[in-house]
Amino acid sequence: MNEKKTNRRELLRPLHLLGIALACGIFAAVVTLVSTGAFTSRVNVGIANGTYQGLTPIALGLVIGGGAFIVTLLIMSMLILAVDPREYQDKTLDRPVLYDEEPGDGTSNPSDSDTSNSGDSDSSKS
């Protein structure tokens, strides 16, 4: 039984993701409401009289906000799945995780990379 206990930060990580996605959804809904004129008297009178045609600004804001919430949540979930956290758990990182290794960071010989790229550099000069 050599299991590591999960700490509070790891337990609350899904709530942080939901909070970020919710903030993006609310921002998209507010931008939609403002841009469609939901707070103007002309639009509100048209909705109250039943003469407003099309989707009301409030319904459109809810649709756009919900879509932004779902898309943000899916994108952040996919980005989290792209990296294995156990691989970087004990390392101190000074660069983004998903970037390729820089030429000076690897263990390969620099002369090997010069000979393999010599054909590519001639074709890129044209």
Side-chain angles (χ1 to χ4, degrees):
M1 299 237 116
N2 193 8
E3 294 183 21
K4 183 180 176 184
K5 282 188 167 183
T6 57
N7 58 11
R8 184 178 178 158
R9 183 177 180 184
E10 291 173 356
L11 288 174
L12 293 177
R13 183 172 292 156
L15 292 178
H16 292 145
L17 296 177
L18 284 173
I20 293 170
L22 183 66
C24 290
I26 290 172
F27 176 76
V30 168
V31 168
T32 303
L33 288 174
V34 170
S35 65
T36 56
F39 306 113
T40 60
S41 61
R42 182 183 60 87
V43 172
N44 289 330
V45 168
I47 292 171
N49 292 337
T51 57
Y52 191 84
Q53 295 180 358
L55 194 62
T56 62
I58 294 173
L60 183 63
L62 289 174
V63 168
I64 298 294
F69 172 77
I70 292 170
V71 167
T72 304
L73 194 60
L74 284 175
I75 289 173
M76 289 190 326
S77 300
M78 296 304 278
L79 287 174
I80 286 176
L81 288 175
V83 177
D84 184 18
R86 288 176 287 176
E87 183 179 342
Y88 300 101
Q89 187 172 11
D90 297 329
K91 295 181 183 178
T92 302
L93 299 174
D94 58 348
R95 64 177 179 79
V97 176
L98 294 177
Y99 279 1
D100 291 333
E101 300 252 349
E102 293 182 7
D105 291 344
T107 58
S108 64
N109 190 358
S111 62
D112 294 339
S113 63
D114 291 340
T115 58
S116 65
N117 292 335
S118 63
D120 293 338
S121 63
D122 293 336
S123 64
S124 64
K125 291 180 181 178
S126 57

